[in-house]
Every structure is written in structure tokens, then in C-alpha cells.
Amino acid sequence: PGSNLTAQALGAAPFTAFVTVSDKFDSLASDPAAAGPPPPGLSPAAARERELFRAFHAGLPREKQAAWVLYNLVPAALTADQLGSAKTVATHLSEVVGSPDYDLAFALPPNFALGGAVRVRDRLGQDLQILSSFKVCEGWVHTVDGLLWPGTTPDPASIPDPVQGGV
């Protein structure tokens, strides 16, 4: 059932999608230490990123995968400028679960006029940067410098089940 929700969301147009830059995943995937405990002196943000990577690649249950995909999709075609101006935007997960808890928050940095990047905040409280954007068919795809996470903790149990209407 969760995969049907994902297929429906992906088939909808217009859309906005967020994707993580692959070199971040590639570097963690090729690092054998990424599977173990974080090394001493690792920044809290880097340690959390490793924990999210492990949770994501440890085999999220299908309904959690569907929730993650729905969280990274917005049912409107929005440019980075439009996202920054909107401040908050409902994700597909917000609509499926019926809760604004799964909206994404956006901010324009003080140096936006000088080429600063729009920032997006997820439920985990991470402030990620939109690195690039490109138009695809009826939608927009934005690459971000981290993994947007729909849970309140790195534990996959904190990700809602869209079929059941939440956590």
C-alpha cells in the first residue's frame, strides 16, 4: 500500500522534488567506518548525518520508504525563490497524513541578494542548503546538501506511516 502512495505522488504533476547530492552518499557508502560508531571529535551535524545514512540504508520498511519519498515531494512546481518567499510548504506527506507537522520550512539568507542559497529545515531541525535547481517536465528538482528526514529523531520508528495516517 505504501508503494502505491509513492507511485501516485510521483505520477502527479506539477511537482517539486528534493534530492540529496549523490557524492555525500557515495562518500559515506565507500567509508567502511560509516557503519561503525562515529570517530571522536566528529561534529554533531556530521555524526547525525552518519546516523541518518545508516538508518536509511539499513533497510527502511516499505511504509517508511513511502513516507520519506512523500516528504521529499511537494504537490506544486516551485522555484527556489518561491520556496524561500513562501516560508513553509506542505509536502505530499502533510497532505496524506493530514497534518502540517510534515510541512517543510524555508528561509532566505541575509545575503540572498548577493547569491546566497535558500535553506530548508526538516523535522529533525536540520538546516540544509538548496545547492542547485532544474526544471523537469512540469516540476522542479532541487538538490540539497543533506538528507531531508521526516522523523523527529534519526530512529526510523519516528517516521510516520502514511497508510495509517501518522506515527
Side-chain angles (χ1 to χ4, degrees):
S3 61
N4 290 340
L5 289 173
T6 305
Q8 289 170 3
L10 290 173
F15 68 92
T16 298
F18 298 92
V19 296
T20 302
V21 289
S22 65
D23 61 340
K24 281 207 157 206
F25 276 129
D26 294 344
S27 65
L28 284 169
S30 64
D31 178 7
L42 195 62
S43 74
R48 181 177 54 232
E49 186 173 82
R50 287 168 58 99
E51 193 172 354
L52 292 176
F53 173 81
R54 278 199 311 263
F56 189 79
H57 286 284
L60 286 176
R62 205 170 265 239
E63 68 277 2
K64 304 296 183 172
Q65 292 173 17
W68 182 83
V69 169
L70 293 170
Y71 187 66
N72 282 268
L73 290 170
V74 171
L78 300 169
T79 65
D81 293 352
Q82 290 170 321
L83 292 169
S85 297
K87 305 291 186 224
T88 61
V89 174
T91 65
H92 269 295
L93 185 59
S94 298
E95 292 186 352
V96 168
V97 174
S99 171
D101 290 346
Y102 304 102
D103 292 357
L104 291 171
F106 298 89
L108 296 174
N111 63 345
F112 184 69
L114 301 173
V118 174
R119 311 279 308 172
V120 56
R121 176 171 282 191
D122 66 3
R123 287 198 79 213
L124 199 54
Q126 301 181 102
D127 285 319
L128 304 177
Q129 181 176 337
I130 295 179
L131 301 172
S132 63
S133 304
F134 50 96
K135 187 154 180 58
V136 177
C137 300
E138 297 298 318
W140 281 91
V141 175
H142 305 285
T143 59
V144 292
D145 65 348
L147 185 65
L148 288 171
W149 195 252
T152 54
T153 72
D155 182 353
S158 71
I159 298 175
D161 179 344
V163 175
Q164 299 300 318
V167 179

